[in-house]
C-alpha cells in the first residue's frame, strides 16, 4: 500500500465530519438560494448520498463542502424543473425579493439574492436564524426550527435542550415547515433594523442553546462537542459586532467565553466530567476570561442590560474566584434574584437553590430544590436530579442520593457523563 494513501482520510470519515460541522452551512446556503426548507433538506441529502457513492471511487475532493454545495444545488434545480409547484413558489419568492429567477448559465446555480438592509450579515446561517424568527411562524415553533436546522442538533437534542418530549418537538417542527411552505415565508434577514431588533432575543436564545448542547452534550462519546461550542461563539461574535453598544449580544458573548474558558479543566483523560469544585483552575483559558470580563463590564453598565448580561456577571464571579471556596455565592444569589425578577424560570430557580445551598448550607439548598420537585421541566432534567443527589450526600442521606444519581442516569447524557453518574451512584450506594 502507498504510505501516502494510508494516511489519507477515509471518505466516509470526511463526510461524517462535514455533515457534523458544516451541514447547517450547506442547508442555509440552499435555503438562501431556493427559499424552501424541504427542498434544501432533500437536496442536501441527495448530495450526501452522491458523495457516499463517488468519493470512495474518485477520492475526497479538495474542498468537500464546495463539492456538496454544487451537487446539492444541481439536485435542487432538477427538482424545481420537475415540480411545477416548487417552480411557482420559487418564482414568487424571487419576485418578492426583486431578484432573478433564472439559473446562472455557467454555474447552474441561482444568483444569490441581495440581502437589502441585511447585507452586513456575513454568514447565511445567521441570516437563516433571523428568518426562522419571522412573526408568521408560531413563537413556540421558532426556537425549535432554529436549533434543528441552523444549530444542526438532532430532534432528540433539540427536545432535550427545550425540555420537551420528542413527539411534541417533532410536531412543532412539522407545523413550522408547513407554515413556511404554505405562506411562502422567506427565511432571510428582515428588511429593517427595527424588525431585526425584535427578532434578536430569539436568535440570542438559539445561539445560547446550541452552546449549551455543545458544552454539556446530551448524547455521544464526549461530554463536550467543540464543533457546537465554537459555532455558537462564532455566531455570538458576529451578533456582538453587528450590535455595538447593545448589552445583550455583548452579555451573551461574555457568557459563552467565560463558560468555554473552563473547558480545558472540565473533563479528565477519559472524557469524564470534573465538577467545578474539583477543577484545576490553572488550566482555565485566561485570555478568554479577560475578554469575557471586559464584555461583562460593558454589558452590565448598559441601560438595556438584561438576562444575558446578568448570566455573564454570574459567570464572571466564578471566573474571578481563585478557589471554589472563595466564590461569592451571596452575590450570585442576588444575581439569580435579578434574573427571576425578569421572568419565572424553573432552571434559574434550580440554580438559585444550588447557590443558596453553597452560601447558607446544603440543608437550605436541599429544601428549595425539593420545592421544585413537581416542576415538569425539572423532572426530566438530569442536572436537577444531580443537584438533589449532591445535597443529599452533603446531608448524609446517601440512600436518597443513590436514587437521585440513578434518576439522573436514566435521563441520558454523553458517554462520559454517564460514567460520571455511574461512579457517583455506586459511591452513594456503598455509603448507604
Amino acid at each position: 500500500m502507498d504510505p501516502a494513501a494510508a494516511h489519507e482520510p477515509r471518505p466516509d470519515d470526511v463526510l461524517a465530519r462535514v455533515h457534523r460541522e458544516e451541514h447547517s452551512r450547506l442547508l442555509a446556503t440552499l435555503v438562501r438560494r431556493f427559499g424552501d426548507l424541504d427542498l434544501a433538506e432533500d437536496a442536501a441529502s441527495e448530495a450526501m448520498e452522491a458523495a457516499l457513492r463517488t468519493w470512495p471511487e474518485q477520492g475526497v475532493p479538495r474542498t468537500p463542502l464546495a463539492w456538496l454545495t454544487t451537487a446539492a444545488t444541481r439536485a435542487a434545480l432538477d427538482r424545481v424543473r420537475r415540480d411545477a409547484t416548487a417552480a411557482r413558489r420559487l418564482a414568487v419568492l424571487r419576485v418578492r425579493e426583486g431578484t432573478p429567477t433564472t439559473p446562472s448559465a455557467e454555474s447552474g446555480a441561482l444568483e444569490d439574492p441581495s440581502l437589502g438592509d441585511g447585507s452586513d450579515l456575513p454568514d447565511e446561517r445567521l441570516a437563516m436564524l433571523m428568518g426562522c424568527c419571522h412573526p408568521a411562524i408560531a413563537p413556540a415553533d421558532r426556537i425549535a426550527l432554529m436549533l434543528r436546522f441552523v444549530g444542526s442538533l438532532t430532534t432528540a437534542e433539540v427536545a432535550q435542550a427545550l425540555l420537551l418530549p420528542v413527539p411534541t418537538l417533532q410536531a412543532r417542527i412539522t407545523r413550522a415547515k408547513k407554515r413556511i411552505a404554505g405562506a411562502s415565508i422567506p427565511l432571510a434577514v428582515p428588511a429593517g433594523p427595527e424588525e431585526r431588533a425584535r427578532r434578536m432575543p430569539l436568535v440570542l436564545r438559539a445561539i445560547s442553546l446550541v452552546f449549551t448542547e455543545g458544552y454539556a452534550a446530551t448524547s455521544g462519546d464526549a461530554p463536550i462537542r467543540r464543533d457546537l461550542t465554537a459555532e455558537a461563539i462564532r455566531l455570538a461574535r458576529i451578533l456582538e459586532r453587528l450590535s455595538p453598544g447593545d448589552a445583550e449580544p455583548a452579555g451573551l458573548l461574555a457568557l459563552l467565553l467565560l463558560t468555554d474558558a473552563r473547558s480545558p479543566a472540565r473533563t479528565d483523560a477519559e472524557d469524564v466530567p470534573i465538577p467545578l469544585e474539583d477543577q484545576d483552575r490553572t488550566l482555565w483559558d485566561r485570555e478568554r476570561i479577560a475578554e469575557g470580563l471586559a464584555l461583562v463590564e460593558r454589558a452590565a453598565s448598559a441601560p438595556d442590560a438584561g438576562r444575558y448580561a446578568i448570566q455573564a456577571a454570574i459567570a464572571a464571579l466564578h471566573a474571578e474566584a481563585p478557589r471554589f471556596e472563595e466564590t461569592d455565592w451571596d452575590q450570585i444569589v442576588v444575581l439569580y434574584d435579578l434574573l427571576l425578577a425578569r421572568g419565572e424560570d424553573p432552571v434559574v430557580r434550580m440554580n438559585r437553590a444550588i447557590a443558596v445551598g453553597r452560601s447558607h448550607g446544603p440543608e437550605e439548598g436541599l429544601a428549595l430544590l425539593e420545592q421544585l420537585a413537581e416542576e415538569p421541566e425539572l423532572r426530566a432534567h438530569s442536572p436537577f436530579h444531580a443537584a438533589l443527589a449532591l445535597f443529599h450526600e452533603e446531608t448524609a442521606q446517601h440512600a436518597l442520593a443513590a436514587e437521585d444519581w440513578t434518576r439522573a442516569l436514566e435521563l441520558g447524557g454523553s458517554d462520559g457523563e454517564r460514567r460520571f453518574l455511574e461512579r457517583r451512584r455506586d459511591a452513594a450506594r456503598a455509603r448507604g
Side-chain angles (χ1 to χ4, degrees):
M1 176 183 291
D2 183 355
H7 291 88
E8 289 181 0
R10 288 160 41 95
D12 51 348
D13 290 340
V14 174
L15 190 60
R17 178 185 58 77
V18 172
H19 186 277
R20 183 176 63 251
E21 298 176 4
E22 301 284 4
H23 184 262
S24 63
R25 185 186 294 271
L26 173 62
L27 199 63
T29 298
L30 296 170
V31 169
R32 168 81 181 282
R33 291 177 176 176
F34 295 95
D36 188 317
L37 184 52
D38 280 328
L39 177 63
E41 279 192 279
D42 291 342
S45 294
E46 284 191 35
M48 293 285 180
E49 291 171 5
L52 282 174
R53 292 193 303 270
T54 60
W55 289 6
E57 297 177 2
Q58 301 177 8
V60 176
R62 187 163 54 88
T63 53
L65 179 60
W67 189 99
L68 289 169
T69 301
T70 299
T73 299
R74 289 172 178 163
L77 285 168
D78 287 343
R79 283 175 175 260
V80 169
R81 292 175 181 127
R82 294 195 308 265
D83 186 340
T85 301
R88 284 194 299 270
R89 190 162 62 236
L90 181 61
V92 169
L93 178 71
R94 292 294 179 257
V95 168
R96 287 179 178 177
E97 295 177 346
T99 55
T101 61
T102 56
S104 163
E106 294 182 1
S107 67
L110 290 177
E111 294 182 23
D112 282 342
S114 167
L115 281 173
D117 290 342
S119 61
D120 55 348
L121 288 174
D123 189 284
E124 289 170 329
R125 283 171 291 188
L126 194 54
M128 190 173 167
L129 273 173
M130 288 199 168
C132 287
C133 298
H134 193 285
I137 302 172
D141 301 342
R142 296 172 193 164
I143 196 76
L145 202 64
M146 287 188 282
L147 293 177
R148 179 68 185 89
F149 297 111
V150 188
S152 287
L153 303 186
T154 66
T155 301
E157 288 168 347
V158 177
Q160 177 68 26
L162 298 179
L163 304 180
L164 290 171
V166 170
T168 301
L169 190 281
Q170 289 172 326
R172 287 188 179 183
I173 291 175
T174 300
R175 183 172 62 218
K177 289 168 67 176
K178 287 181 178 178
R179 178 63 177 161
I180 290 168
S184 297
I185 294 172
L187 293 178
V189 183
E194 295 83 5
E195 180 60 26
R196 201 187 306 177
R198 277 193 288 271
R199 300 187 194 185
M200 185 67 77
L202 272 178
V203 174
L204 292 171
R205 186 177 178 221
I207 293 173
S208 173
L209 289 172
V210 169
F211 179 87
T212 299
E213 175 59 31
Y215 191 73
T218 56
S219 61
D221 298 332
I224 299 177
R225 287 185 57 183
R226 301 191 186 280
D227 57 321
L228 292 182
T229 57
E231 176 63 13
I233 290 172
R234 192 186 65 80
L235 290 173
R237 284 192 188 281
I238 295 172
L239 278 185
E240 192 273 331
R241 287 198 301 269
L242 294 173
S243 311
D246 291 353
E248 288 299 83
L252 175 63
L253 179 56
L255 173 63
L256 303 193
L257 290 171
L258 291 169
T259 304
D260 191 59
R262 304 198 294 262
S263 293
R266 192 170 174 269
T267 58
D268 64 16
E270 297 178 346
D271 277 335
V272 175
I274 299 173
L276 182 62
E277 57 267 32
D278 297 328
Q279 290 179 15
D280 180 356
R281 299 187 176 213
T282 64
L283 297 177
W284 288 3
D285 188 330
R286 292 296 155 186
E287 288 187 11
R288 293 219 151 177
I289 289 175
E291 183 183 1
L293 291 177
L295 286 164
V296 168
E297 185 175 351
R298 195 182 86 203
S301 62
D304 61 333
R307 300 185 68 86
Y308 291 110
I310 296 170
Q311 290 177 347
I314 293 171
L317 289 171
H318 286 297
E320 291 173 324
R323 297 187 307 126
F324 181 79
E325 294 77 12
E326 297 178 55
T327 305
D328 190 347
W329 292 106
D330 289 338
Q331 184 60 30
I332 288 176
V333 172
V334 170
L335 290 169
Y336 277 126
D337 286 337
L338 289 176
L339 273 179
L340 289 170
R342 283 164 168 76
E344 181 59 35
D345 186 322
V347 174
V348 172
R349 198 163 286 282
M350 176 193 80
N351 288 329
R352 180 187 181 277
I354 295 170
V356 168
R358 295 303 181 200
S359 177
H360 302 295
E363 293 82 3
E364 289 195 34
L366 181 58
L368 291 173
L369 285 176
E370 288 175 339
Q371 293 173 16
L372 301 171
E374 297 307 313
E375 288 284 348
E377 291 183 36
L378 297 182
R379 284 204 304 267
H381 193 44
S382 179
F384 172 72
H385 298 280
L388 279 173
L390 285 170
F391 283 144
H392 276 137
E393 285 186 352
E394 292 177 14
T395 55
Q397 301 178 73
H398 299 295
L400 290 176
E403 294 177 8
D404 297 328
W405 290 122
T406 299
R407 179 56 181 152
L409 184 58
E410 290 171 350
L411 292 169
S414 67
D415 293 345
E417 183 180 0
R418 293 180 65 81
R419 289 195 295 274
F420 169 79
L421 294 172
E422 287 170 352
R423 291 175 187 177
R424 298 300 294 257
R425 177 203 61 193
D426 294 345
R429 284 176 175 173
R431 295 190 191 99

